[in-house]
Amino acid sequence: MRILGIDPGLARVGYGLIDTGPPQRMLDCGIIQTEAGRPEGERLVEIARDMRQLLRSMRPELAAVEKFFFYKSSNTIAVVQARGVLMMTLSRFQIPVVEYPPMQIKLALTGSGHADKSEVQDAVMRELELDKRPKPDDAADALAVALTAWFQR
């Protein structure tokens, strides 16, 4: 099964595609990056366009999306809007979606819902038999979301 993990954001959307195998392995990971200073609407259009291209080339059977964890910050609304664009795009491609909050992702990968970022990245490396941590962090986070979907199946 091909699972696409997504770490939503306006500036950077992390994505990571795994094949559950056996053995499970990373097929691709990276980010969709939008340019700061551009109008928010244009950035959302760019995210939708780039996600459509990824979905056409990757052909995932399932998408796993990190649930937004509410912070008191100035970019909360923008991140929620980007997440909405991603969910709409996945729906248009009729890709089933599962969602996980950050604590559940940490718990699934490390056994602790309070694990730090490096522990989660180490678990991603171990599970996917990678020699080094995926970069940037948004892509590594997306792989963690994809693995969580596989573990929670």
Side-chain angles (χ1 to χ4, degrees), residues 5-136:
I6 300 174
D7 180 25
L10 180 65
R12 296 178 359 163
V13 175
Y15 65 87
L17 183 68
I18 64 169
D19 184 334
T20 60
Q24 59 205 21
R25 62 191 173 102
M26 178 184 75
L27 298 176
D28 194 10
C29 72
I31 59 169
I32 296 171
Q33 187 162 354
T34 64
E35 187 179 325
R38 286 185 46 219
E40 200 169 283
E42 289 179 17
R43 294 171 83 180
L44 294 170
V45 168
E46 182 178 351
I47 289 169
R49 182 191 65 233
D50 291 356
M51 182 54 62
R52 283 192 307 270
Q53 290 173 348
L54 286 172
L55 295 174
R56 285 185 188 109
S57 66
M58 293 180 167
R59 301 191 181 278
E61 298 164 74
L62 177 68
V65 180
E66 183 172 359
K67 277 188 181 178
F68 187 69
F69 185 75
F70 287 91
Y71 294 102
K72 291 181 180 178
S73 77
S74 60
N75 69 347
T76 300
I77 292 173
V79 173
V80 171
Q81 289 173 329
R83 188 176 183 284
V85 165
L86 292 163
M87 298 296 281
M88 179 193 68
T89 304
L90 292 164
S91 181
R92 282 191 170 168
F93 277 76
Q94 298 179 333
I95 297 169
V97 176
V98 291
E99 303 173 76
Y100 302 101
M103 189 175 281
Q104 188 173 354
I105 295 165
K106 293 174 182 182
L107 181 63
L109 267 76
T110 69
S112 169
H114 300 287
D116 64 30
K117 188 173 281 289
S118 67
E119 290 173 293
V120 173
Q121 290 178 349
D122 288 345
V124 168
M125 285 178 50
R126 182 179 58 256
E127 294 295 333
L128 296 174
E129 298 181 6
L130 302 174
D131 295 330
K132 58 184 177 179
R133 290 181 177 174
K135 294 290 181 189

